[in-house]
Amino acid sequence: MIQQKIDNLSSLSKYRSELMGIAIIWIVLFHSNISAPDNFFLRALWYLFVSFGGGIGVDIFFILSGFGLFYSVQFIDNELIKINWGGWIVKRMKRILPSYLIVAILYYILKWDFSLYNLCQLNFLVKGIRDYWFIPAIVICYLLFPLFYQIGKKIGFRNMIIVSTLIVVAVTCALNYFNPIYYSKIEIFLQRIPCFVLGIYWGYLSVKNSYKEYYLGIIFSVLLAPVCMYTHFVGSYRWFFFFMTIVFIQVLLLLLIYLGNTLKTILQYLGKRSLQIYLTHVSLGIMLSNLVLIKEFSLAIYFVSALVMGELLYRTNNFLLRKY
């Protein structure tokens, strides 16, 4: 068993909710359709917080999901207790699926497009329709986690991330070569798998206090990001975002150390409700805002509805968890 010291958690663990809060702000801004301003400085901020921020925010979600799952397993993994992976997976699904089903059923009914095919997100896995693509993506990652974890324990977590990344690269290249149309539909998920696996690896390094290996990875990312930006290969721009996300997380962690308690509390609030805010803003929030013709009012409804509906969904989900 990997020994864990509860009083020695890394900053990633300490500020996990705040990072999730920042990530959901980026994602909501990305889907807001705010136009790029003409002013050079404002346009630079737009690229950072609206255009690029959406991709980085999603990467952060996958990284922190893998990181959190690794920590959750450490409390139950020892020589005397065998992990009940079935029960473990069911417990994780209860945190995701009730919120998703409530919103998705309402959304597809309002669109006159309700079907089990859409509700099970086969519309994404088969046709690449991205209404709620994050849900099947993160569910698949959760289902794969026991495999990643067991492989990591057998061959080492550093080797696990190398092997899994090479497999993803091979699959994406093969899929792009033999069926580029289908690849374009699901690449948004395929190239997030390394983010999830990286989170598992960071969880391992955090528990082991392997800071040297952690910072070597950051240096490696800084060097590889420009390579991905100025070269053209399958998914190069996704890899650019992958390495930039690693760098951005380090910057955000430094900023969070000096951030005031009020702002941290706000980010924690948003982070704990990030799934529910994502589910409501990406569907119902956009539908409501599209009913308003005046752009400023439309944006206001979009942001406010995401927060209000996200809070209602969060409370409903917690009630169901306590009840069942």
Side-chain angles (χ1 to χ4, degrees):
M1 177 188 175
I2 299 170
Q3 296 299 320
Q4 173 176 298
K5 296 180 180 180
I6 302 300
D7 61 347
N8 198 32
L9 297 178
S10 66
S11 294
L12 273 170
S13 179
K14 182 178 180 180
Y15 295 119
R16 185 171 178 268
S17 292
E18 288 88 340
L19 288 172
M20 297 282 270
I22 294 171
I24 194 60
I25 290 172
W26 264 337
I27 293 170
V28 171
L29 286 173
F30 175 78
H31 289 134
S32 66
N33 291 324
I34 297 175
S35 302
D38 295 326
N39 180 274
F40 176 81
F41 178 73
L42 293 178
R43 181 176 285 264
L45 292 177
W46 179 86
Y47 276 114
L48 178 61
F49 293 107
V50 180
S51 182
F52 295 156
I56 293 174
V58 173
D59 285 355
I60 290 175
F61 271 139
F62 277 95
I63 290 172
L64 294 180
S65 294
F67 183 87
L69 291 184
F70 186 90
Y71 261 92
S72 71
V73 169
Q74 294 313 293
F75 290 102
I76 57 175
D77 184 19
N78 58 56
E79 293 85 353
L80 300 177
I81 302 175
K82 186 177 180 180
I83 299 176
N84 176 9
W85 286 113
W88 182 88
I89 289 173
V90 168
K91 187 176 180 181
R92 265 70 206 168
M93 292 302 106
K94 284 182 177 180
R95 298 181 180 182
I96 298 175
L97 295 183
S99 291
Y100 163 69
L101 291 173
I102 292 170
V103 175
I105 290 172
L106 179 58
Y107 174 67
Y108 287 123
I109 288 176
L110 291 175
K111 282 185 65 179
W112 293 91
D113 196 23
F114 179 81
S115 67
L116 289 178
Y117 179 83
N118 288 340
L119 196 63
C120 294
Q121 285 304 298
L122 294 174
N123 56 357
F124 168 67
L125 296 173
V126 176
K127 297 182 178 179
I129 297 174
R130 298 180 179 181
D131 290 335
Y132 296 106
W133 73 269
F134 177 80
I135 298 302
I138 201 65
V139 166
I140 291 171
C141 284
Y142 276 31
L143 294 175
L144 288 175
F145 175 81
L147 177 63
F148 288 135
Y149 184 77
Q150 295 296 344
I151 291 174
K153 289 184 68 176
K154 287 185 180 298
I155 68 172
F157 285 90
R158 184 199 304 167
N159 293 330
M160 181 272 294
I161 189 174
I162 293 173
V163 171
S164 60
T165 300
L166 290 175
I167 291 174
V168 169
V169 171
V171 170
T172 53
C173 289
L175 197 57
N176 183 65
Y177 181 80
F178 291 106
N179 195 340
I181 294 177
Y182 184 65
Y183 167 74
S184 67
K185 293 177 180 178
I186 65 167
E187 57 83 27
I188 193 173
F189 161 52
L190 279 179
Q191 296 195 226
R192 260 50 187 260
I193 295 176
C195 295
F196 181 76
V197 177
L198 176 67
I200 299 173
Y201 177 56
W202 277 3
Y204 167 77
L205 294 181
S206 178
V207 169
K208 293 288 288 183
N209 293 322
S210 300
Y211 293 107
K212 181 180 178 181
E213 196 167 336
Y214 176 72
Y215 288 115
L216 282 175
I218 296 169
I219 295 171
F220 182 74
S221 300
V222 172
L223 295 175
L224 279 183
V227 175
C228 296
M229 184 176 183
Y230 292 106
T231 57
H232 298 284
F233 57 90
V234 178
S236 58
Y237 78 101
R238 291 285 184 199
W239 287 108
F240 169 74
F241 278 118
F242 172 75
F243 292 120
M244 285 305 299
T245 299
I246 294 173
V247 177
F248 264 94
I249 287 175
Q250 313 316 311
V251 174
L252 292 173
L253 287 172
L254 290 174
L255 293 175
L256 285 168
I257 293 173
Y258 301 102
L259 198 65
N261 289 333
T262 300
L263 290 176
K264 284 180 183 177
T265 301
I266 293 172
L267 292 176
Q268 286 175 1
Y269 172 87
L270 295 174
K272 291 177 181 179
R273 293 154 178 79
S274 55
L275 173 65
Q276 288 75 25
I277 294 173
Y278 160 76
L279 288 169
T280 54
H281 96 274
V282 81
S283 53
L284 301 178
I286 292 175
M287 289 182 75
L288 285 174
S289 64
N290 287 340
L291 297 175
V292 181
L293 298 179
I294 301 174
K295 186 176 181 180
E296 289 74 13
F297 290 160
S298 177
L299 285 174
I301 290 174
Y302 168 75
F303 290 120
V304 172
S305 64
L307 288 173
V308 173
M309 290 189 295
E311 176 64 25
L312 291 174
L313 187 60
Y314 176 78
R315 295 189 178 214
T316 302
N317 191 72
N318 283 350
F319 171 78
L320 293 175
L321 287 176
R322 290 194 300 268
K323 195 79 172 177
Y324 303 102

